[in-house]
Amino acid sequence: MQNQRRNLLKVAALAAGAAMLSTSELAASEKAFKLSKRDHSKQRALLLSSSGYKDTKYLSHAVSWIGKFAKENNLAGKKIVFIPYASLRRSYDEYEKRVKEALASLNLNIVGVHHAKNAAKEVASADCIFVGGGNTFKLVHDMYENELIALISKMVEDGTPYIGWSAGSNVAGATMMTTNDMPIIEPESFNTFNISPHQINPHFISGKPAGHNGESREERLEEFLIANQKSTVYAMPEGTAF
């Protein structure tokens, strides 16, 4: 079992480097969204473990990575749709403002999806998609409610650039089942974007604090792998990115 866990659980510490469906088809596919084999050759994604690292300011540790990604994908002046649905303790407007301020030096055109009457149409018009962190269950619930799961999955497969952090990185995996979050609301499904065919666990911490008698992160992920033996989990320590 120990060897199996070491083979399946890969701790990643990598610095970041480097035909749309119709509305009716998306609406029909959303409720029954299932994972399938996909072409990864056009995908362009930057997945951050966290929005901060140690005592740094919000997203400041990732500004250079995001700036490089934006330059490589010619995002200057392009429409970037930000999805704030994971937020609960601050309003979507406050969340959008925080992201814009953190990335102000990059001069990106970031627009919160919550301003649009039709979220799916707004996302479909995006040149790039940002998905922020917070509670993954809330994020996935709201994305299914707004028919965004199948849409974003297809857009990224077709080449639309994607940046996610924390919960936004977790949902880039095959499912959200290796989130760290409390299930405060029930989503339509645990299936998410499948940008990565493997599971992603952001904010990974090895070991447990002295005196803590609950399971460690490693033990929780081992439980997942016992129940899902064909899966692989990429555990991302804070301050890292794919």
Side-chain angles (χ1 to χ4, degrees), residues 62-208:
V63 169
S64 62
W65 297 344
I66 295 171
K68 182 178 180 181
F69 185 86
K71 184 177 181 180
E72 289 174 345
N73 290 285
N74 301 311
L75 296 181
K78 301 290 183 64
K79 182 178 180 180
I80 298 171
V81 174
F82 169 59
I83 298 175
Y85 295 156
S87 181
L88 285 139
R89 289 179 289 112
R90 63 171 52 88
S91 72
Y92 292 162
D93 282 345
E94 290 171 333
Y95 196 3
E96 178 188 29
K97 180 180 178 182
R98 193 179 194 197
V99 172
K100 286 181 175 181
E101 289 177 347
L103 303 179
S105 63
L106 302 180
N107 297 312
L108 300 176
N109 179 25
I110 301 171
V111 180
V113 73
H114 60 288
H115 298 299
K117 292 183 179 180
N118 187 309
K121 287 184 178 179
E122 182 73 356
V123 169
S125 71
D127 297 301
C128 178
I129 299 165
F130 282 10
V131 180
N135 186 280
T136 311
F137 287 90
K138 169 68 162 49
L139 172 62
V140 175
H141 173 275
D142 287 10
M143 288 197 296
Y144 270 106
E145 286 286 302
N146 287 282
E147 299 181 349
L148 298 183
I149 295 290
L151 171 61
I152 293 175
S153 179
K154 180 61 176 171
M155 288 178 67
V156 178
E157 183 179 15
D158 287 344
T160 301
Y162 176 97
I163 297 180
W165 55 91
S166 190
S169 290
N170 176 252
V171 297
T175 78
M176 61 165 287
M177 293 169 67
T178 46
T179 180
N180 307 308
D181 298 332
M182 186 174 289
I184 61 172
I185 191 170
E186 185 177 5
E188 178 77 20
S189 169
F190 290 156
N191 290 343
T192 47
F193 299 143
N194 200 28
I195 296 170
S196 164
H198 306 298
Q199 294 294 131
I200 296 174
N201 177 246
H203 299 286
F204 177 77
I205 299 174
S206 182
K208 65 176 77 175

